[in-house]
Amino acid sequence: MLKGLGALGDMAGMMKKAQEMQGKMAQMQEDLANLIVTGESGAGLVKATCTAKGELKGLDIDPSIFNGDDKEVVEDLILAAIKDAQTKASERAQQEMAKLTEDMGLPADMKLPF
């Protein structure tokens, strides 16, 4: 269709690929908002659930850890579970981004969005 246009044909192809990438990036962002990961601490006594974008969605605390004398321990366990969930969310988001760049034929270590 664009043969004989030289650089203009290449530019049109690049624009089309850029639009495809933009659409795939938008879809991936939506998917990350719906992907759920769970972090935990205290051998599972505290569990934090968040999206792959890092948004905290829930907290599950085993009632056995509630003792008035252990307030600081409970607070530490809650923070550790949230940090674990956020770390897992970040790792999952990077995995999904790597899949997207690979599917598009881009280098695996390419950082998107630019």
Side-chain angles (χ1 to χ4, degrees), residues 20-36 50-55 57 89-90 92-101 104 110-114:
E20 287 175 17
M21 184 179 356
Q22 185 177 18
K24 287 181 179 183
M25 288 290 294
Q27 181 62 48
M28 188 191 70
Q29 290 296 325
E30 186 178 320
D31 292 346
L32 290 177
N34 295 319
L35 207 85
I36 302 294
C50 68
T51 68
K53 290 185 91 171
E55 180 183 350
K57 289 293 191 179
S90 177
R92 186 62 186 264
Q94 289 176 353
Q95 290 170 357
E96 295 298 315
M97 184 65 71
K99 284 184 205 174
L100 177 67
T101 57
M104 297 180 72
M110 185 172 187
K111 302 291 183 207
L112 293 173
F114 303 104

Side-chain angles (χ1 to χ4, degrees), residues 9 13 17-19 24 26 33 36 38-39 43 46 49 59 76 79 97 102 113-114:
K17 285 187 179 194
Q19 287 175 336
K24 287 181 179 183
I36 302 294
T38 301
V46 178
T49 305
L59 195 57
D76 288 344
L79 286 175
M97 184 65 71
E102 182 180 324
F114 303 104

